Amino acid sequence: MSLSSEPDFLVDGLAFCDQPSARALIHAGLVRPARPGRIGDFVAATLTDTGHVVLADADQSLRGSVA
């Protein structure tokens, strides 16, 4: 992800196809930079604690709907 007020995501070096959704994930606090850097740098992204909870809840919901 790029470090900026409106960050961009790259996946395997290619631009993520839905930048508004990527930015929404970041602004919602579900994803964050894995390390500090300077504005404009690209760094790895990581899930926040909240992101892990949301994914776990989604997983539980999906498992519950597959009976």
Side-chain angles (χ1 to χ4, degrees):
M1 67 181 287
S2 65
L3 299 177
S4 67
S5 60
E6 289 300 331
D8 293 316
F9 267 10
L10 299 177
V11 177
D12 293 335
L14 301 173
F16 186 72
C17 66
D18 189 354
Q19 289 299 329
S21 292
R23 291 173 180 154
L25 292 171
I26 295 164
H27 291 301
L30 303 176
V31 178
R32 67 172 176 79
R35 66 170 179 81
R38 295 179 306 211
I39 299 295
D41 285 351
F42 279 88
V43 299
T46 189
L47 284 173
T48 63
D49 290 342
T50 303
H52 282 283
V53 169
V54 168
L55 281 179
D57 289 347
D59 182 52
Q60 285 298 95
S61 293
L62 288 173
R63 289 174 189 267
S65 65
V66 180

